[in-house]
Amino acid sequence: MKEKSLVELFCFLLSSARGCVDEPAIYGPLRLIEAYSRLVATIGHEELDNFWWQQKEEIDNYKNLAMYDEEAFIKALDQTLEKVAHYISEGRIS
């Protein structure tokens, strides 16, 4: 992992923590999935199964729903969690 990418992620997490104090509650989950997306990108393709990249791409496609359609955002997030649970239950994690 590149140090610059990690420092950017650290700064994002710290500033997000502060932002969550004053922001609407729905921004908390939005910031967490943004952190997931950034972490996957920082780790890189070589070290992660493609499944995690697929989830990142889907998240990147729906994350902005939090700004204008909370119900759709929550539904999409629930679907992501279902896919992760299914993936893990299949024993795909070593």
Side-chain angles (χ1 to χ4, degrees):
M1 285 187 252
K2 297 179 182 177
E3 184 176 359
K4 181 181 179 194
S5 295
L6 283 174
V7 169
E8 288 174 0
L9 181 58
F10 296 159
C11 291
F12 174 78
L13 290 169
L14 292 169
S15 63
S16 292
R18 178 57 183 98
C20 285
V21 171
D22 300 316
E23 294 171 342
I26 195 68
Y27 285 20
L30 173 60
R31 287 183 176 273
L32 287 169
I33 62 170
E34 177 65 22
Y36 169 86
S37 181
R38 290 179 184 215
L39 181 58
V40 167
T42 298
I43 292 171
H45 280 283
E46 310 81 38
E47 299 189 38
L48 283 177
D49 183 287
N50 194 48
F51 171 82
W52 303 108
W53 280 91
Q54 291 170 347
Q55 302 321 300
K56 177 198 178 314
E57 289 173 12
E58 288 182 20
I59 286 167
D60 289 345
N61 287 328
Y62 72 71
K63 64 186 175 187
N64 289 334
L65 287 173
M67 307 295 245
Y68 59 89
D69 190 345
E70 288 184 27
E71 187 176 319
F73 172 76
I74 293 166
K75 182 177 180 179
L77 186 54
D78 286 344
Q79 290 171 344
T80 297
L81 291 170
E82 286 177 18
K83 290 175 190 173
V84 169
H86 185 261
Y87 180 80
I88 292 169
S89 72
E90 290 180 334
R92 300 271 203 66
I93 306 297
S94 53

